[in-house]
Amino acid sequence: MRKLLLLITVLTVGIVFIARLFYLQVYIEPVNSLYEDNAIRKVYDYPKRGYVYDRNGELLVANQPSYDVMVIPQEVQPLDTLEFCRLLKITKADFKRIYERAYHYSPWLPSPFVPQLSKKDYAALQEKMRKFEGFYIQKRSLRDYQTSIGANVLGDLGEVNQRTIQEQPYYNLGDLIGKQGVETSYETILRGVKGVKFIQKDRFNKNIGPYKEGIYDTLPQPGKDITITIDAKLQEYGELLMTNKRGGIIAIDPSSGEILAMVSGPSYDPNLLVGRSRSKNYTKLHFDTIAKPLYDRTLLAQYPPGSPFKVMNALIGLQEGVVDTEERFVCRQGYYYNGRRLTGCHHHPSPVNMNAGIAQSCNAYFVNVYRRIIDKYDDAGKGMNVWSDHAKSFGLGNYLGYDLKIGRKGRIPDGDYYDRAYGDNRWGSTYIVSNAIGQGEVETTPIQLANMAAAIGNRGYFYTPHIIKSIEGDTIDSKYTKPRYTTIEKRHFEPVVQGMFDVYNKGTATFLQIPGIDICGKTGTAENFVKIDSVKTQLTDHSIFVAFAPKDNPKIAIAVFVENGYWGSRFAGRMASLMIEKYIKGYITRTDMEDWILTHSLENEYAKPYSGQPFNINGQTQLQVVPNVKSNLDPNTSIPLGSNTPDS
């Protein structure tokens, strides 16, 4: 009996040991312990990052080889630091600082010591690397931009931070990740998957060969190439037109929602943010708080939309049945209520119907229509909610859902907004007439306004704007191929489209006509306020223009904002017309307009808040002396206010 008990005990202990060994060696080891075992060195093999092409197959972003000097602090042996620093072109103080950072990260894990060596520096160092134990060279690739345009669209790569490493274990210290534009939106598709080799080390910390003959090693999976919707030639032309100006141009294909151009001015060469000079160049761009080249105005800047918003009120008025296309309203160079002028207007024939109201951009006409929309219901709050819901169905006042990571909602106020401002039922339509002409509390981003133009060109629907056209071996999200319908019936769009067509034929943009192209557009001028030393100050008006072309089955819808551009047709209108001609024809016939835009700069206008020079407001010169404003001026802060701005 004792022998049997002893045999059972030995067998039981043996089975337990075998089970534990199996658990450790087969079940756990491949998943976790190989990455945590200090006796095994992990060598990563970085994949080729996917290329980026424009809609016509032009290569925009490729790769170039890069070499990182890596360090494993625990393996570092005494070395000639002076020679090492000379080879790496760093100081001894730099050596100490970088080493301490690496040791703090992990004594046992590799981390970048000096990233992104040039080929020349790599060649000089490679021959002597054997002298510097604990250091090795990791090959990876950097971006190689084949163009100098589209920095805000393409984005850039930068090192991951500690927070990203904690949230996404895939990344290690020193890894690169997309920081802006398509590089960040499609990071997981472009980056691919790293390969890894496990190297066994002996008790003296020397490499002795592949761990278990490399059965756990993996090969890198290259990133996928993508094609984006941008037309590189149109983007380049837009950036040329935006030279020495600030603002945004965004063009969309109404039939698909594909973004054709996304110009933010001022811009920069994306190659500035590649290589060892990236940090220095990024710092310089980041701290340019006046021009803000890193600030993507097409997606982030919220401007009063000005007169282009009038077509929205025309559509809502028709849908709500408060006006027809032939009813006329008198304009006495503005809208009057109880003998007080609430808005101004420029001189034009009066009275006007809807067509003339759009073509001549009559403020009084649209205030009348807007007030009827609000006053149709029992209380102003309910009327405001109906108005707000209609406007939001065009993608205004909320995120559009496009595939770029940044953006702003804009603002389309509703009844609750004014209840909070004035108190419940203590306000009416006369309090908020500035909304009728795209001022007041209404704010939009350029992409929202371009999308609105696309929806009008389509007579009542739009596709979610997007930057991705195709992915190698994959399909794009189906939400970009499904139409989204507005709350306005299709039959109401035709008179509004005709009014926008007549803006070019007999309205405020007659001198902007492009031979052979039927363009529908709307000029806009928006008041421009900033806070200077906590004082609300009016600067030169913004120039705004929206359009689509051709009139039927449009191929392009566009919105242009030019900060401090005086009035709609002066800068924005010219630029929009030229962009349309460039896209549809492929060449420019209106070289007179092109020459004017290229020879007129607004840099002097942007300097006025600092110099005390006079501003141009509503077509008139106003002297504004502003001492000591440099540290207090935010050139992108607008303050909603009732407008007397005439459009031209």
Side-chain angles (χ1 to χ4, degrees), residues 91-304:
T91 66
K92 194 169 182 179
D94 291 332
F95 180 96
K96 183 178 180 182
R97 173 180 54 81
I98 299 169
Y99 182 84
E100 288 176 351
R101 184 191 68 171
Y103 195 92
H104 178 73
Y105 169 69
S106 172
W108 299 101
L109 295 178
S111 59
F113 193 80
V114 174
Q116 302 173 13
L117 292 182
S118 67
K119 289 182 181 179
K120 183 178 178 181
D121 291 340
Y122 164 70
L125 180 65
Q126 186 184 30
E127 297 176 356
K128 301 186 178 182
M129 278 302 294
R130 56 182 176 76
K131 299 168 61 177
F132 310 115
E133 291 191 39
F135 295 90
Y136 68 95
I137 293 177
Q138 172 76 63
K139 184 179 179 181
R140 70 173 84 220
S141 62
L142 294 180
R143 279 316 212 184
D144 184 10
Y145 295 96
Q146 306 291 301
T147 180
S148 60
I149 63 165
N152 62 313
V153 180
L154 301 174
D156 63 280
L157 302 181
E159 284 192 28
V160 293
N161 54 34
Q162 198 61 44
R163 179 178 176 181
T164 301
I165 294 172
Q166 292 172 354
E167 294 175 350
Q168 303 181 57
Y170 171 86
Y171 296 101
N172 299 309
L173 188 67
D175 282 358
L176 301 179
I177 190 172
K179 292 291 187 180
Q180 301 178 82
V182 296
E183 292 283 17
T184 185
S185 294
Y186 291 94
E187 162 68 13
T188 55
I189 290 171
L190 289 167
R191 78 181 183 198
V193 179
K194 289 182 291 189
V196 62
K197 295 179 181 178
F198 298 99
I199 308 298
Q200 180 72 59
K201 297 187 290 186
D202 62 15
R203 62 192 182 95
F204 299 108
N205 218 27
K206 302 290 186 183
N207 294 340
I208 58 176
Y211 176 72
K212 289 195 174 180
E213 298 182 348
I215 61 172
Y216 297 120
D217 294 354
T218 60
L219 293 173
Q221 299 175 26
K224 296 179 179 179
D225 297 343
I226 65 172
T227 298
I228 60 175
T229 61
I230 293 294
D231 183 315
K233 288 184 172 57
L234 187 66
Q235 177 78 20
E236 182 179 27
Y237 188 63
E239 292 189 11
L240 176 66
L241 297 178
M242 192 60 78
T243 303
N244 296 323
K245 304 165 191 70
R246 297 177 192 167
I249 304 173
I250 189 145
I252 296 174
D253 181 348
S255 68
S256 63
E258 294 177 353
I259 299 172
L260 304 173
M262 201 170 81
V263 177
S264 179
S267 187
Y268 58 92
D269 186 336
N271 288 291
L272 289 174
L273 299 185
V274 176
R276 294 181 69 177
S277 298
R278 181 188 189 279
S279 179
K280 178 183 68 175
N281 291 334
Y282 181 86
T283 300
K284 189 180 296 184
L285 293 168
H286 177 75
F287 285 103
D288 184 355
T289 58
I290 304 302
K292 296 187 175 182
L294 292 175
Y295 183 73
D296 190 341
R297 287 167 166 85
T298 61
L299 304 178
L300 294 173
Q302 297 184 149
Y303 303 96

Side-chain angles (χ1 to χ4, degrees), residues 4-80:
L4 182 61
L5 182 62
L6 180 62
L7 180 62
I8 292 172
T9 302
V10 171
L11 288 173
T12 302
V13 172
I15 291 170
V16 169
F17 270 102
I18 291 170
R20 181 61 179 169
L21 274 172
F22 177 84
Y23 179 75
L24 291 173
Q25 294 291 325
V26 177
Y27 185 72
I28 287 185
E29 183 178 76
V31 180
N32 297 317
S33 63
L34 290 180
Y35 288 91
E36 299 170 358
D37 191 341
N38 292 330
I40 298 174
R41 177 184 171 193
K42 279 68 66 179
V43 178
Y44 292 101
D45 190 358
Y46 288 86
K48 175 188 83 73
R49 195 171 177 89
Y51 286 7
V52 180
Y53 298 86
D54 90 328
R55 66 186 297 107
N56 299 311
E58 181 178 338
L59 180 61
L60 300 177
V61 188
N63 298 312
Q64 58 181 308
S66 173
Y67 308 92
D68 294 350
V69 177
M70 307 293 289
V71 62
I72 303 175
Q74 197 66 31
E75 297 181 10
V76 174
Q77 300 297 320
L79 71 153
D80 185 343

